[in-house]
Amino acid sequence: MRTYRIADAARLLGVSDDTVRRWIEAGLLATTGASPAEIPGDALAQRAVERAQQGSDAADVLSSARNRFVGLVTRVQVDGVMAQVDIQSGPHRVVSLMSAEAVRDLDLQVGSLAAAVIKATTVIVEAPKD
């Protein structure tokens, strides 16, 4: 079975190396017992599924979409009636084109918390309720 170093596991799970080390110490992530620590692929996959099931919603909403990327807005470019919004969610950069009105209504700014909800070829951006 394939094993992963802590740095690789952290990158794949979208967390820091220190977080992976804490999970190992807390018994939340198994290792092979080798030194330096190696994480079995099946244990890493199980942790990834657990994290996905825990969810990290930016808003208190129910949705039929299953592809949801919570992250920080890194760019907002408004040009007339349309806008481009970039969201960095872990290692993933998600770009959405939307109306400038939607950007204003959601109060999207660089540094805002937002979720990109992807259903087929459409990206829906949500912002948390006040």
Side-chain angles (χ1 to χ4, degrees), residues 63-86:
S63 178
S64 65
R66 295 294 176 244
N67 300 313
R68 187 167 198 186
F69 298 90
V70 176
L72 291 173
V73 174
T74 58
R75 180 178 181 213
V76 177
Q77 182 177 353
V78 178
D79 184 22
V81 298
M82 293 302 294
Q84 176 181 324
V85 177
D86 294 16

PDB file of all heavy atoms in Angstrom, residues 63-86:
ATOM      1  N   SER A  63     -28.159  22.640   0.810  1.00  0.00           N
ATOM      2  CA  SER A  63     -27.947  22.724  -0.629  1.00  0.00           C
ATOM      3  C   SER A  63     -27.883  21.332  -1.230  1.00  0.00           C
ATOM      4  O   SER A  63     -27.409  20.394  -0.593  1.00  0.00           O
ATOM      5  CB  SER A  63     -26.633  23.466  -0.913  1.00  0.00           C
ATOM      6  OG  SER A  63     -26.382  23.511  -2.292  1.00  0.00           O
ATOM      7  N   SER A  64     -28.358  21.190  -2.461  1.00  0.00           N
ATOM      8  CA  SER A  64     -28.247  19.907  -3.152  1.00  0.00           C
ATOM      9  C   SER A  64     -26.877  19.734  -3.789  1.00  0.00           C
ATOM     10  O   SER A  64     -26.509  18.628  -4.159  1.00  0.00           O
ATOM     11  CB  SER A  64     -29.321  19.811  -4.241  1.00  0.00           C
ATOM     12  OG  SER A  64     -29.086  20.796  -5.239  1.00  0.00           O
ATOM     13  N   ALA A  65     -26.119  20.806  -3.900  1.00  0.00           N
ATOM     14  CA  ALA A  65     -24.789  20.729  -4.503  1.00  0.00           C
ATOM     15  C   ALA A  65     -23.828  20.049  -3.530  1.00  0.00           C
ATOM     16  O   ALA A  65     -23.860  20.304  -2.333  1.00  0.00           O
ATOM     17  CB  ALA A  65     -24.280  22.117  -4.859  1.00  0.00           C
ATOM     18  N   ARG A  66     -22.968  19.190  -4.038  1.00  0.00           N
ATOM     19  CA  ARG A  66     -22.021  18.470  -3.195  1.00  0.00           C
ATOM     20  C   ARG A  66     -20.590  18.975  -3.356  1.00  0.00           C
ATOM     21  O   ARG A  66     -19.735  18.638  -2.581  1.00  0.00           O
ATOM     22  CB  ARG A  66     -22.069  16.965  -3.497  1.00  0.00           C
ATOM     23  CG  ARG A  66     -23.392  16.344  -3.150  1.00  0.00           C
ATOM     24  CD  ARG A  66     -23.603  16.394  -1.640  1.00  0.00           C
ATOM     25  NE  ARG A  66     -24.905  15.899  -1.272  1.00  0.00           N
ATOM     26  CZ  ARG A  66     -25.845  16.640  -0.698  1.00  0.00           C
ATOM     27  NH1 ARG A  66     -25.640  17.901  -0.464  1.00  0.00           N
ATOM     28  NH2 ARG A  66     -26.991  16.128  -0.368  1.00  0.00           N
ATOM     29  N   ASN A  67     -20.338  19.772  -4.366  1.00  0.00           N
ATOM     30  CA  ASN A  67     -19.010  20.316  -4.595  1.00  0.00           C
ATOM     31  C   ASN A  67     -18.974  21.723  -4.044  1.00  0.00           C
ATOM     32  O   ASN A  67     -19.362  22.678  -4.708  1.00  0.00           O
ATOM     33  CB  ASN A  67     -18.667  20.301  -6.093  1.00  0.00           C
ATOM     34  CG  ASN A  67     -18.688  18.898  -6.636  1.00  0.00           C
ATOM     35  OD1 ASN A  67     -18.127  17.988  -6.037  1.00  0.00           O
ATOM     36  ND2 ASN A  67     -19.358  18.699  -7.750  1.00  0.00           N
ATOM     37  N   ARG A  68     -18.515  21.828  -2.821  1.00  0.00           N
ATOM     38  CA  ARG A  68     -18.538  23.113  -2.123  1.00  0.00           C
ATOM     39  C   ARG A  68     -17.141  23.416  -1.611  1.00  0.00           C
ATOM     40  O   ARG A  68     -16.560  22.636  -0.874  1.00  0.00           O
ATOM     41  CB  ARG A  68     -19.505  23.009  -0.967  1.00  0.00           C
ATOM     42  CG  ARG A  68     -19.731  24.286  -0.288  1.00  0.00           C
ATOM     43  CD  ARG A  68     -20.910  24.178   0.608  1.00  0.00           C
ATOM     44  NE  ARG A  68     -21.293  25.549   0.860  1.00  0.00           N
ATOM     45  CZ  ARG A  68     -22.204  25.914   1.674  1.00  0.00           C
ATOM     46  NH1 ARG A  68     -22.869  25.013   2.316  1.00  0.00           N
ATOM     47  NH2 ARG A  68     -22.455  27.177   1.862  1.00  0.00           N
ATOM     48  N   PHE A  69     -16.609  24.565  -2.011  1.00  0.00           N
ATOM     49  CA  PHE A  69     -15.261  24.974  -1.637  1.00  0.00           C
ATOM     50  C   PHE A  69     -15.338  26.240  -0.796  1.00  0.00           C
ATOM     51  O   PHE A  69     -15.640  27.305  -1.313  1.00  0.00           O
ATOM     52  CB  PHE A  69     -14.407  25.236  -2.891  1.00  0.00           C
ATOM     53  CG  PHE A  69     -14.231  24.014  -3.744  1.00  0.00           C
ATOM     54  CD1 PHE A  69     -15.125  23.714  -4.752  1.00  0.00           C
ATOM     55  CD2 PHE A  69     -13.162  23.163  -3.524  1.00  0.00           C
ATOM     56  CE1 PHE A  69     -14.967  22.593  -5.534  1.00  0.00           C
ATOM     57  CE2 PHE A  69     -12.992  22.035  -4.299  1.00  0.00           C
ATOM     58  CZ  PHE A  69     -13.891  21.745  -5.309  1.00  0.00           C
ATOM     59  N   VAL A  70     -15.073  26.105   0.494  1.00  0.00           N
ATOM     60  CA  VAL A  70     -15.079  27.256   1.390  1.00  0.00           C
ATOM     61  C   VAL A  70     -13.674  27.850   1.388  1.00  0.00           C
ATOM     62  O   VAL A  70     -12.685  27.127   1.483  1.00  0.00           O
ATOM     63  CB  VAL A  70     -15.481  26.846   2.816  1.00  0.00           C
ATOM     64  CG1 VAL A  70     -15.390  28.039   3.763  1.00  0.00           C
ATOM     65  CG2 VAL A  70     -16.882  26.266   2.811  1.00  0.00           C
ATOM     66  N   GLY A  71     -13.587  29.156   1.256  1.00  0.00           N
ATOM     67  CA  GLY A  71     -12.273  29.781   1.236  1.00  0.00           C
ATOM     68  C   GLY A  71     -12.354  31.286   1.382  1.00  0.00           C
ATOM     69  O   GLY A  71     -13.395  31.839   1.755  1.00  0.00           O
ATOM     70  N   LEU A  72     -11.246  31.913   1.066  1.00  0.00           N
ATOM     71  CA  LEU A  72     -11.146  33.369   1.158  1.00  0.00           C
ATOM     72  C   LEU A  72     -11.181  33.992  -0.226  1.00  0.00           C
ATOM     73  O   LEU A  72     -10.558  33.485  -1.160  1.00  0.00           O
ATOM     74  CB  LEU A  72      -9.837  33.768   1.838  1.00  0.00           C
ATOM     75  CG  LEU A  72      -9.734  33.438   3.322  1.00  0.00           C
ATOM     76  CD1 LEU A  72      -8.337  33.734   3.818  1.00  0.00           C
ATOM     77  CD2 LEU A  72     -10.760  34.231   4.107  1.00  0.00           C
ATOM     78  N   VAL A  73     -11.883  35.094  -0.334  1.00  0.00           N
ATOM     79  CA  VAL A  73     -11.893  35.848  -1.585  1.00  0.00           C
ATOM     80  C   VAL A  73     -10.518  36.496  -1.731  1.00  0.00           C
ATOM     81  O   VAL A  73     -10.053  37.183  -0.824  1.00  0.00           O
ATOM     82  CB  VAL A  73     -13.010  36.912  -1.592  1.00  0.00           C
ATOM     83  CG1 VAL A  73     -12.919  37.784  -2.832  1.00  0.00           C
ATOM     84  CG2 VAL A  73     -14.373  36.244  -1.486  1.00  0.00           C
ATOM     85  N   THR A  74      -9.846  36.234  -2.849  1.00  0.00           N
ATOM     86  CA  THR A  74      -8.506  36.783  -3.083  1.00  0.00           C
ATOM     87  C   THR A  74      -8.498  37.870  -4.150  1.00  0.00           C
ATOM     88  O   THR A  74      -7.507  38.581  -4.286  1.00  0.00           O
ATOM     89  CB  THR A  74      -7.522  35.672  -3.489  1.00  0.00           C
ATOM     90  OG1 THR A  74      -8.023  35.021  -4.660  1.00  0.00           O
ATOM     91  CG2 THR A  74      -7.340  34.661  -2.362  1.00  0.00           C
ATOM     92  N   ARG A  75      -9.591  37.978  -4.904  1.00  0.00           N
ATOM     93  CA  ARG A  75      -9.637  38.998  -5.958  1.00  0.00           C
ATOM     94  C   ARG A  75     -11.087  39.272  -6.322  1.00  0.00           C
ATOM     95  O   ARG A  75     -11.885  38.350  -6.459  1.00  0.00           O
ATOM     96  CB  ARG A  75      -8.887  38.487  -7.182  1.00  0.00           C
ATOM     97  CG  ARG A  75      -8.865  39.461  -8.343  1.00  0.00           C
ATOM     98  CD  ARG A  75      -8.048  38.888  -9.487  1.00  0.00           C
ATOM     99  NE  ARG A  75      -8.004  39.813 -10.592  1.00  0.00           N
ATOM    100  CZ  ARG A  75      -7.955  39.459 -11.856  1.00  0.00           C
ATOM    101  NH1 ARG A  75      -7.906  38.184 -12.187  1.00  0.00           N
ATOM    102  NH2 ARG A  75      -7.915  40.358 -12.799  1.00  0.00           N
ATOM    103  N   VAL A  76     -11.408  40.544  -6.478  1.00  0.00           N
ATOM    104  CA  VAL A  76     -12.717  40.959  -6.972  1.00  0.00           C
ATOM    105  C   VAL A  76     -12.463  42.000  -8.049  1.00  0.00           C
ATOM    106  O   VAL A  76     -11.894  43.058  -7.778  1.00  0.00           O
ATOM    107  CB  VAL A  76     -13.596  41.562  -5.856  1.00  0.00           C
ATOM    108  CG1 VAL A  76     -14.929  42.041  -6.425  1.00  0.00           C
ATOM    109  CG2 VAL A  76     -13.820  40.560  -4.736  1.00  0.00           C
ATOM    110  N   GLN A  77     -12.864  41.684  -9.263  1.00  0.00           N
ATOM    111  CA  GLN A  77     -12.677  42.621 -10.365  1.00  0.00           C
ATOM    112  C   GLN A  77     -14.042  42.911 -10.970  1.00  0.00           C
ATOM    113  O   GLN A  77     -14.666  42.040 -11.569  1.00  0.00           O
ATOM    114  CB  GLN A  77     -11.745  42.037 -11.425  1.00  0.00           C
ATOM    115  CG  GLN A  77     -11.482  42.975 -12.571  1.00  0.00           C
ATOM    116  CD  GLN A  77     -10.488  42.396 -13.571  1.00  0.00           C
ATOM    117  OE1 GLN A  77      -9.893  41.349 -13.347  1.00  0.00           O
ATOM    118  NE2 GLN A  77     -10.324  43.089 -14.681  1.00  0.00           N
ATOM    119  N   VAL A  78     -14.501  44.137 -10.772  1.00  0.00           N
ATOM    120  CA  VAL A  78     -15.801  44.549 -11.278  1.00  0.00           C
ATOM    121  C   VAL A  78     -15.581  45.372 -12.534  1.00  0.00           C
ATOM    122  O   VAL A  78     -14.769  46.296 -12.546  1.00  0.00           O
ATOM    123  CB  VAL A  78     -16.577  45.371 -10.219  1.00  0.00           C
ATOM    124  CG1 VAL A  78     -17.909  45.837 -10.772  1.00  0.00           C
ATOM    125  CG2 VAL A  78     -16.772  44.551  -8.955  1.00  0.00           C
ATOM    126  N   ASP A  79     -16.306  45.025 -13.593  1.00  0.00           N
ATOM    127  CA  ASP A  79     -16.187  45.738 -14.861  1.00  0.00           C
ATOM    128  C   ASP A  79     -17.590  45.928 -15.427  1.00  0.00           C
ATOM    129  O   ASP A  79     -18.143  45.020 -16.043  1.00  0.00           O
ATOM    130  CB  ASP A  79     -15.312  44.941 -15.829  1.00  0.00           C
ATOM    131  CG  ASP A  79     -15.071  45.671 -17.142  1.00  0.00           C
ATOM    132  OD1 ASP A  79     -15.211  46.910 -17.171  1.00  0.00           O
ATOM    133  OD2 ASP A  79     -14.741  44.995 -18.130  1.00  0.00           O
ATOM    134  N   GLY A  80     -18.162  47.066 -15.153  1.00  0.00           N
ATOM    135  CA  GLY A  80     -19.515  47.326 -15.645  1.00  0.00           C
ATOM    136  C   GLY A  80     -20.540  46.504 -14.893  1.00  0.00           C
ATOM    137  O   GLY A  80     -20.608  46.553 -13.674  1.00  0.00           O
ATOM    138  N   VAL A  81     -21.336  45.726 -15.638  1.00  0.00           N
ATOM    139  CA  VAL A  81     -22.391  44.926 -15.016  1.00  0.00           C
ATOM    140  C   VAL A  81     -21.910  43.544 -14.570  1.00  0.00           C
ATOM    141  O   VAL A  81     -22.629  42.845 -13.866  1.00  0.00           O
ATOM    142  CB  VAL A  81     -23.609  44.754 -15.956  1.00  0.00           C
ATOM    143  CG1 VAL A  81     -24.237  46.106 -16.266  1.00  0.00           C
ATOM    144  CG2 VAL A  81     -23.231  44.031 -17.217  1.00  0.00           C
ATOM    145  N   MET A  82     -20.689  43.151 -14.963  1.00  0.00           N
ATOM    146  CA  MET A  82     -20.169  41.826 -14.610  1.00  0.00           C
ATOM    147  C   MET A  82     -18.959  41.944 -13.693  1.00  0.00           C
ATOM    148  O   MET A  82     -18.305  42.985 -13.629  1.00  0.00           O
ATOM    149  CB  MET A  82     -19.771  41.048 -15.882  1.00  0.00           C
ATOM    150  CG  MET A  82     -20.961  40.685 -16.758  1.00  0.00           C
ATOM    151  SD  MET A  82     -22.218  39.701 -15.900  1.00  0.00           S
ATOM    152  CE  MET A  82     -21.326  38.195 -15.585  1.00  0.00           C
ATOM    153  N   ALA A  83     -18.647  40.836 -13.007  1.00  0.00           N
ATOM    154  CA  ALA A  83     -17.507  40.808 -12.096  1.00  0.00           C
ATOM    155  C   ALA A  83     -16.865  39.429 -12.114  1.00  0.00           C
ATOM    156  O   ALA A  83     -17.514  38.426 -12.437  1.00  0.00           O
ATOM    157  CB  ALA A  83     -17.944  41.154 -10.679  1.00  0.00           C
ATOM    158  N   GLN A  84     -15.578  39.394 -11.756  1.00  0.00           N
ATOM    159  CA  GLN A  84     -14.850  38.141 -11.572  1.00  0.00           C
ATOM    160  C   GLN A  84     -14.445  38.072 -10.103  1.00  0.00           C
ATOM    161  O   GLN A  84     -13.883  39.026  -9.561  1.00  0.00           O
ATOM    162  CB  GLN A  84     -13.598  38.085 -12.445  1.00  0.00           C
ATOM    163  CG  GLN A  84     -12.763  36.843 -12.196  1.00  0.00           C
ATOM    164  CD  GLN A  84     -11.517  36.800 -13.049  1.00  0.00           C
ATOM    165  OE1 GLN A  84     -11.533  37.224 -14.205  1.00  0.00           O
ATOM    166  NE2 GLN A  84     -10.439  36.275 -12.487  1.00  0.00           N
ATOM    167  N   VAL A  85     -14.741  36.948  -9.462  1.00  0.00           N
ATOM    168  CA  VAL A  85     -14.389  36.739  -8.061  1.00  0.00           C
ATOM    169  C   VAL A  85     -13.535  35.480  -7.967  1.00  0.00           C
ATOM    170  O   VAL A  85     -13.943  34.423  -8.449  1.00  0.00           O
ATOM    171  CB  VAL A  85     -15.654  36.588  -7.184  1.00  0.00           C
ATOM    172  CG1 VAL A  85     -15.279  36.299  -5.745  1.00  0.00           C
ATOM    173  CG2 VAL A  85     -16.520  37.843  -7.279  1.00  0.00           C
ATOM    174  N   ASP A  86     -12.344  35.618  -7.372  1.00  0.00           N
ATOM    175  CA  ASP A  86     -11.449  34.481  -7.158  1.00  0.00           C
ATOM    176  C   ASP A  86     -11.525  34.078  -5.694  1.00  0.00           C
ATOM    177  O   ASP A  86     -11.447  34.942  -4.806  1.00  0.00           O
ATOM    178  CB  ASP A  86     -10.000  34.836  -7.483  1.00  0.00           C
ATOM    179  CG  ASP A  86      -9.778  35.131  -8.959  1.00  0.00           C
ATOM    180  OD1 ASP A  86     -10.760  35.352  -9.685  1.00  0.00           O
ATOM    181  OD2 ASP A  86      -8.607  35.149  -9.366  1.00  0.00           O
TER     182      ASP A  86
END
